[in-house]
Amino acid sequence: MIIKGSSALVTGAGSGLGKATAQMLAERGAIVHLFDRNGGAAKAAADEIGGTALVGDVSSEQDAEAAVEAAATAGDGLRILVNCAGIGTAGRILGRDGPMRLPDFEKVIRVNLVGTFNMMRLAAAKMAAASERADKARGVIVNTASVAAFEGQLGQAAYSASKGGIVSMALPAARELARFGIRVNTIAPGIFLTPLLHSLPEEAQQSLAGAIPYPSRLGDPAEFADAVRFLIENQYMNGEVIRLDGAIRMQPR
């Protein structure tokens, strides 16, 4: 998929991996729409790159429909969707205060997994209706999972389940949407220097970095964005899940 001139929609684009992805797309000439629950963060990020800020919740049908519609009216239609929105609430199945509250589990699943599916289904409908390009492509979708999908730690049952669901969707989604000329890939990032980790003490950051074989540092969001670029531009990449983690394998705690 050619990025230049393509209308792109990035969720969770107000900060972290989503913001870095939006910046990368703008630098390569895309028409970028930044979708985030935090309207102030979305606008600030959009102003930096000349994009359009969209406010809403990825798990809301109404909010998602509005965001996808806005992106579909730009350029020759919505061509790129990158799902970065997500939450990481921790909680043990059975903690000191008893069983995990079911609403807490459901919230993580709804935002991370249902939200990703919600955006994907709506974007796919717009992409399928768009004109076919010279390479027979109509669109590309990149979802964000996590290494926790494979090696969830203590307290990550909900988070791992949500990200594991995203991993499992990659292949069937790619197979279903292939007939429309739409590709679907997933990135499973390791430990990246997002705003959440920025807030940790330097000692804690160094401890996390020390667990990464090579390079022994936290991931740079720009490296995640570069992986997104590769998945968008390489037309033969489809139905794949890429670990982007410096060869880390998460321990139980």
Side-chain angles (χ1 to χ4, degrees), residues 8-13 18-19 21-22 25 32-36 81-82 84:
L9 177 59
V10 183
T11 73
K19 181 179 180 181
T21 298
L25 291 168
V32 187
H33 300 79
L34 299 85
F35 187 33
D36 201 289
L81 169 67
V82 185
C84 294

Side-chain angles (χ1 to χ4, degrees), residues 140-160:
V140 59
I141 298 169
V142 180
N143 294 326
T144 304
S146 166
V147 294
F150 310 102
E151 302 115 26
Q153 295 183 295
L154 292 170
Q156 286 191 323
Y159 184 71
S160 294

Side-chain angles (χ1 to χ4, degrees), residues 26-84:
E27 289 172 352
R28 283 159 179 76
I31 307 166
V32 187
H33 300 79
L34 299 85
F35 187 33
D36 201 289
R37 287 188 305 173
N38 186 329
K43 186 177 186 311
D47 288 346
E48 287 179 21
I49 64 172
T52 301
L54 304 170
V55 185
D57 182 347
V58 293
S59 65
S60 161
E61 287 193 62
Q62 184 176 2
D63 291 354
E65 285 174 353
V68 168
E69 184 62 36
T73 58
D76 64 345
L78 176 59
R79 299 293 184 171
I80 299 167
L81 169 67
V82 185
N83 279 309
C84 294

Side-chain angles (χ1 to χ4, degrees), residues 11-243:
T11 73
S15 63
L17 303 180
K19 181 179 180 181
T21 298
Q23 182 175 2
M24 176 277 296
L25 291 168
E27 289 172 352
R28 283 159 179 76
I31 307 166
V32 187
H33 300 79
L34 299 85
F35 187 33
D36 201 289
R37 287 188 305 173
N38 186 329
K43 186 177 186 311
D47 288 346
E48 287 179 21
I49 64 172
T52 301
L54 304 170
V55 185
D57 182 347
V58 293
S59 65
S60 161
E61 287 193 62
Q62 184 176 2
D63 291 354
E65 285 174 353
V68 168
E69 184 62 36
T73 58
D76 64 345
L78 176 59
R79 299 293 184 171
I80 299 167
L81 169 67
V82 185
N83 279 309
C84 294
I87 58 175
T89 306
R92 296 200 179 196
I93 298 169
L94 183 58
R96 293 176 181 174
D97 300 325
M100 183 180 191
R101 294 179 64 251
L102 190 57
D104 294 342
F105 182 88
E106 291 175 333
K107 180 179 180 181
V108 176
I109 297 297
R110 179 152 189 83
V111 173
N112 293 357
L113 179 55
V114 177
T116 295
F117 178 78
N118 190 33
M119 297 301 303
M120 183 167 60
R121 71 183 182 92
L122 295 171
K126 292 295 185 181
M127 292 174 181
S131 59
E132 188 177 79
R133 288 186 170 177
D135 57 3
K136 299 188 181 301
R138 284 194 171 89
V140 59
I141 298 169
V142 180
N143 294 326
T144 304
S146 166
V147 294
F150 310 102
E151 302 115 26
Q153 295 183 295
L154 292 170
Q156 286 191 323
Y159 184 71
S160 294
S162 70
K163 295 302 186 176
I166 293 172
V167 166
S168 296
M169 281 198 300
L171 185 57
R175 286 171 165 172
E176 283 191 30
L177 299 178
R179 67 190 182 99
F180 300 110
I182 301 169
R183 293 182 295 114
V184 181
N185 289 293
T186 298
I187 300 174
I191 307 174
F192 275 71
L193 193 55
T194 59
L196 176 63
L197 289 183
H198 265 300
S199 66
L200 295 178
E202 182 64 26
E203 183 179 350
Q205 292 185 29
Q206 291 302 320
S207 176
L208 289 169
I212 302 170
Y214 184 80
S216 295
R217 60 170 173 78
L218 302 179
D220 185 335
E223 293 171 313
F224 175 88
D226 192 52
V228 172
R229 177 200 57 75
F230 167 71
L231 292 175
I232 292 172
E233 293 183 334
N234 191 318
Q235 196 68 7
Y236 209 60
M237 287 297 296
N238 195 17
E240 292 296 330
V241 178
I242 296 177
R243 288 186 66 131

